[in-house]
Amino acid sequence: MKDNDQGQRPILALLIRLAAAFTLSVMLVLVKLANESGVGLVEILFWRQLPTVPILLAWFAFRNNLHRLNSKRLGKHFQRAILGLGGMFLNFGAVTLLPLAEATTFNFTSAIWAVILSAILLREKVGIWRWSAVMMGFAGVVVIAQPGNSHIPLFGAMVALGAAFMIALISIQIRDLTRTEDSLIIVFYFALFSLPFLAVGLPFSDGAETAHQWKLLAALAASGLLGQFLLTAALRFGAVSSVIVMDYSSLIWATLFGWLFFERLPPAITWVGAPLIVAAGLTIAWREHILSKQKAVAAIDG
């Protein structure tokens, strides 16, 4: 088993996560463009995943590393694939239902969900700082969503919040897998195990027909593969609580891309709620960083 803690390189992890945020922002633009051109969500997901398997197989074969695919944690990979597929449906669905900036902002609540999950699933003691951040973050959600009187559909907001919840859950699972598995192995099995489920839904999806649509699908598949690898690699070199800070840069790209490709800028109310959500995430990241240092010192003293 690999000792993942000894491989911590926090600066590299932050840079990788920053690159991942940009790459995945590009992918989401392509998802929205493909959907608006008439391509169904199931087909978008299928072509997002399909190239991953042959590309990685060719990569492992070229490096004479096919034996690395003999994982002893196939059950965990399958669980990650099921959760990841559900998360992708929600994440891509949110992008098709909401403007890019709003969908991205709601995704930032993943840090808030992570606190709640750590308290419920891991029985971790959560103090006043993080619970206050949770309340502040959800206040930001209410400000943006404005239930009953909003510029965005309530259903779309709920889908986006569900996607953020899944991101938090999956991040915990990936962190566990990276203790023994390389980043490319995790990415490979995610694609391999999710493809059969997507293939079943293909006959019921509106497929790509034009050259333009196929170009969009090819581009989003490439950016998705790169982004997934960067996302997973960042968790190998740094803790979730640290690297997740870089995700907030995606709001800059979402706003810019929303203006460039869809001629839409977020309304004023988004800029009131978004800082609350971002501040909540930063507070959680800061507090977890402090707690991790305290645990490290206690372990040394003990």
Side-chain angles (χ1 to χ4, degrees):
M1 181 178 294
K2 299 179 180 180
D3 188 348
N4 196 58
D5 292 336
Q6 294 181 357
Q8 295 295 282
R9 300 174 63 182
I11 300 301
L12 177 61
L14 292 175
L15 292 175
I16 292 175
R17 190 76 173 206
L18 189 64
F22 171 77
T23 305
L24 293 176
S25 294
V26 171
M27 181 194 69
L28 293 180
V29 172
L30 295 168
V31 168
K32 195 170 184 69
L33 289 171
N35 183 255
E36 291 189 355
S37 74
V39 184
L41 186 58
V42 171
E43 180 146 6
I44 289 174
L45 287 165
F46 178 82
W47 290 106
R48 154 65 182 86
Q49 294 290 75
L50 182 63
T52 301
V53 175
I55 288 174
L56 290 185
L57 279 176
W59 172 256
F60 289 129
F62 175 76
R63 297 177 62 88
N64 294 320
N65 280 330
L66 284 174
H67 63 277
R68 290 171 57 191
L69 296 176
N70 296 323
S71 174
K72 296 180 180 180
R73 304 185 71 187
L74 291 180
K76 290 292 184 181
H77 282 293
F78 184 77
Q79 292 175 20
R80 183 267 183 273
I82 297 300
L83 291 176
L85 187 56
M88 285 180 62
F89 263 108
L90 293 172
N91 194 30
F92 286 16
V95 169
T96 64
L97 294 168
L98 299 174
L100 281 175
E102 281 79 352
T104 300
T105 300
F106 283 132
N107 256 347
F108 293 156
T109 61
S110 59
I112 299 170
W113 291 117
V115 171
I116 297 173
L117 285 172
S118 67
I120 296 175
L121 299 180
L122 305 179
R123 303 296 182 182
E124 181 180 335
K125 182 180 179 180
V126 178
I128 187 64
W129 277 103
R130 285 185 289 174
W131 282 128
S132 297
V134 167
M135 290 186 288
M136 179 168 58
F138 281 124
V141 170
V142 172
V143 169
I144 296 174
Q146 300 181 75
N149 183 29
S150 177
H151 68 287
I152 59 175
L154 183 58
F155 177 70
M158 296 301 294
V159 170
L161 289 173
F165 174 84
M166 294 300 294
I167 289 173
L169 189 60
I170 293 164
S171 292
I172 294 174
Q173 193 173 39
I174 290 176
R175 182 65 174 171
D176 174 62
L177 278 170
T178 55
R179 291 188 299 107
T180 58
E181 308 289 87
D182 289 336
S183 303
L184 288 178
I185 302 298
I186 297 173
V187 173
F188 174 80
Y189 279 113
F190 173 36
L192 183 68
F193 287 144
S194 62
L195 278 170
F197 294 98
L198 292 169
V200 171
L202 277 181
F204 308 98
S205 176
D206 294 327
E209 297 178 354
T210 68
H212 175 66
Q213 289 174 327
W214 283 113
K215 289 178 182 177
L216 289 174
L217 289 174
L220 75 86
S223 58
L225 175 59
L226 177 59
Q228 187 67 44
F229 170 69
L230 292 172
L231 201 68
T232 306
L235 294 177
R236 169 170 295 278
F237 295 110
V240 175
S241 60
S242 299
V243 300
I244 204 170
V245 174
M246 293 295 100
D247 291 358
Y248 299 115
S249 64
S250 59
L251 181 56
I252 299 173
W253 302 118
T255 302
L256 178 61
F257 293 151
W259 174 58
L260 290 176
F261 292 96
F262 307 103
E263 299 182 348
R264 180 163 184 171
L265 288 172
I269 197 65
T270 297
W271 296 114
V272 175
L276 292 174
I277 297 174
V278 171
L282 291 174
T283 300
I284 292 169
W286 165 77
R287 188 57 183 165
E288 292 186 352
H289 177 68
I290 295 297
L291 291 173
S292 65
K293 291 181 65 175
Q294 291 176 348
K295 291 179 181 178
V297 171
I300 294 174
D301 293 342

